[in-house]
Amino acid sequence: MNQPATGPSPATDRAAPVLALSDVSKSFGAVRALQDVSLSLRPGEVHALAGENGAGKSTLIKTLAGVHRPDGGQVLLDGRPVVFHGPADARAAGIAVIYQEPTLFPDLSIAENIFMGRQPRRGLGRIDHRAVREATEGLMRRLGVELSPDRPARGLSIADQQIVEIAKALSFDARVLIMDEPTAALTGGETARLFSVVRTLRDQGAAVLFISHRLDEIFELCERVTTLRDGHLISSGPLTGLTEDDLVRRMVGRDLEDLYPKQDAAVGDVALSVGRLTREGVFRDVSFEVRR
Ligand SMILES: Nc1ncnc2c1ncn2[C@@H]1O[C@H](COP(=O)(O)OP(=O)(O)O)[C@@H](O)[C@H]1O
Ligand SMILES: [Mg+2]
């Protein structure tokens, strides 16, 4: 098992994967959260991870982030097997995870949160506040956002806190940015700003793994999508040519024809017609028809 089980498809093979999972399995007691799942993240792409609740998305992320060790299979960094003994190992390898609700230190400034524990110092070990501030301004410029380095974290919106976390990832030279449902608590405007930051990072060569229940966001932001269902890899490939319905079917896993088996009937009768079906947080305005 020294080789990745699945290579990139020729059509999307623009750059070698920076981070990959090869046939990874992970169980919690009797629960098989991931079974033989492979996935590769390339520099300069935003990759969506889709699946219903319980599909294994967070387990996959935690495996990439060094929180979980796989029971089987491998994590590959620059094509080589790597073992992360903890989150610090993954961070040192350039992998940053942005969670839905970041936890900054409320009494510290934005700049202090970003550089905590590694502030530039001057003589007598005193923190060089000006250098910290300037470095933070540089990070914000790179992200194309305006946030004063001196503002305390207390009182920042969740969206701004996420930006601070992203700036922190950038300060660690992260090459892979993993975002677990980052837009769940954001307004439309905040989501647009986050997407603009993500695109900026992508254009600077980062690989981004983006988890969202919202299919419109996936289609807007991402180049490729991997779908998981019940811990199994269902598909991984370009979004081009896929419809939202295709994606829903992969996530939910049942062609409606399986739910309503074919009966003797004239071919072409509409057996079921669904118009603008919405399941809060999962899919929106999905319409389709099933014919016998
Ligand atoms: N630490 C854990 N202990 C026990 N079961 C877990 C743990 N983490 C996840 N699971 C189980 O693994 C499955 C996948 O969960 P998860 O990766 O959180 O899915 P998702 O993020 O797609 O909703 C679920 O059945 C969940 O209950
Ligand atoms: Mg989850």
Side-chain angles (χ1 to χ4, degrees), residues 22-23 61 84 106 112 115 126 137 142 144-145 147 156 182 185 200 207 209 226-227 246 259 269 278 280 288:
S22 171
D23 285 333
I61 290 167
F84 296 141
E112 287 164 339
F115 288 100
R126 274 192 292 187
E137 280 166 355
R142 269 185 71 187
V145 295
L147 269 182
L156 291 179
T200 302
L209 183 61
T226 292
T227 31
D246 294 334
L259 284 179
D269 281 359
T278 295
E280 203 51 57
F288 51 84

Side-chain angles (χ1 to χ4, degrees), residues 34 40 48 55 69 71 84 110 122 134 136 140-141 191 211 227 242 250 274:
L34 294 175
S40 50
R69 291 271 303 270
D71 303 330
F84 296 141
I110 289 177
R122 292 184 302 179
E134 285 176 359
T136 303
M140 295 303 171
R141 259 197 309 278
T191 296
I211 290 81
T227 31
L242 288 186
R250 290 175 187 190
V274 173

Side-chain angles (χ1 to χ4, degrees), residues 10-183:
T12 55
D13 187 14
R14 294 181 308 257
V18 50
L19 186 64
L21 293 179
S22 171
D23 285 333
V24 160
S25 297
K26 178 73 187 175
S27 293
F28 300 102
V31 178
R32 296 179 158 186
L34 294 175
Q35 261 191 287
D36 294 329
V37 172
S38 300
L39 159 96
S40 50
L41 303 177
R42 306 203 178 101
E45 82 167 359
V46 185
H47 192 124
L49 184 59
E52 290 203 295
N53 273 337
K57 303 181 299 295
S58 292
T59 304
L60 186 154
I61 290 167
K62 288 176 181 165
T63 305
L64 291 173
V67 176
H68 293 320
R69 291 271 303 270
D71 303 330
Q74 292 179 320
V75 180
L76 303 165
L77 186 66
D78 293 319
R80 286 183 291 276
V82 65
V83 176
F84 296 141
H85 294 280
D89 283 354
R91 205 177 306 125
I95 299 162
V97 187
I98 312 296
Y99 293 99
Q100 212 174 85
E101 308 218 354
T103 45
L104 301 177
F105 291 91
D107 294 326
L108 300 184
S109 71
I110 289 177
E112 287 164 339
N113 266 288
I114 292 175
F115 288 100
M116 203 178 43
R118 53 198 178 107
Q119 295 99 331
R121 289 177 189 271
R122 292 184 302 179
L124 300 174
R126 274 192 292 187
I127 291 173
D128 186 343
H129 290 287
R130 189 165 145 204
V132 172
R133 197 178 303 123
E134 285 176 359
T136 303
E137 280 166 355
L139 293 169
M140 295 303 171
R141 259 197 309 278
R142 269 185 71 187
L143 294 177
V145 295
E146 289 194 14
L147 269 182
S148 163
D150 296 322
R151 271 181 74 178
R154 185 188 305 286
L156 291 179
S157 65
I158 286 176
D160 284 344
Q161 292 180 47
Q162 287 177 346
I163 301 284
V164 173
E165 291 280 5
I166 293 173
K168 187 170 185 172
L170 205 56
S171 77
F172 277 106
D173 291 323
R175 298 187 297 155
V176 178
L177 193 67
I178 300 172
M179 313 183 84
D180 196 356
E181 308 245 11
T183 60

